[in-house]
Amino acid sequence: MTEAVEYPVYVGIDWATAMHELCVLSAARAVLATRRIPHSAAGLDELVAVLATFGAPATVAIGIEMPRGALIEGLLAHGYPVYAINPKQSDRFRDRHSMAGAKDDRLDAFVIADALRTDL
């Protein structure tokens, strides 16, 4: 049996074709930052710079609904642990926070980070 991994910082990224919504949570569930990051090389640089303010890459867990792509590869290349969250799971996790069912990118980023924090 393996030990559960715990991180001091959890990040949820709601991926989109133009802009990604980012939510950074502490292990105690405090929102440390939110931001919109463009889907571009400059956006990846901005994302890495923001994440660097929260500690070494190995201490910042990142959740996203995409299992692959340039954003994922860039984060992995910088040493960040990235966890792909199945979109159906993400939808169920969203029900913990809102029964409205309306699509909200900021909420989705929060939900992904919180799901990673509680259900890693």
Side-chain angles (χ1 to χ4, degrees), residues 7-11 22-35 50-51 53-55 59-60 110 113:
Y7 296 93
V9 177
Y10 296 89
V11 177
L22 172 76
C23 181
V24 181
L25 295 180
S26 71
R29 199 176 184 224
V31 175
L32 303 175
T34 59
R35 180 148 322 168
V50 168
L51 295 177
T53 66
F54 297 102
T59 67
V60 179
F110 173 83

Side-chain angles (χ1 to χ4, degrees), residues 62-105:
I62 299 173
I64 189 168
E65 290 181 334
M66 297 291 294
R68 62 188 163 277
L71 178 63
I72 306 301
E73 291 175 22
L75 290 168
L76 290 171
H78 281 90
Y80 288 96
V82 178
Y83 296 86
I85 309 263
N86 182 296
K88 289 185 187 243
Q89 286 177 305
S90 183
D91 191 43
R92 296 291 73 83
F93 290 134
R94 189 180 310 114
D95 290 344
R96 292 179 180 173
H97 302 280
S98 171
M99 295 305 289
K103 176 76 172 128
D104 179 315
D105 295 341

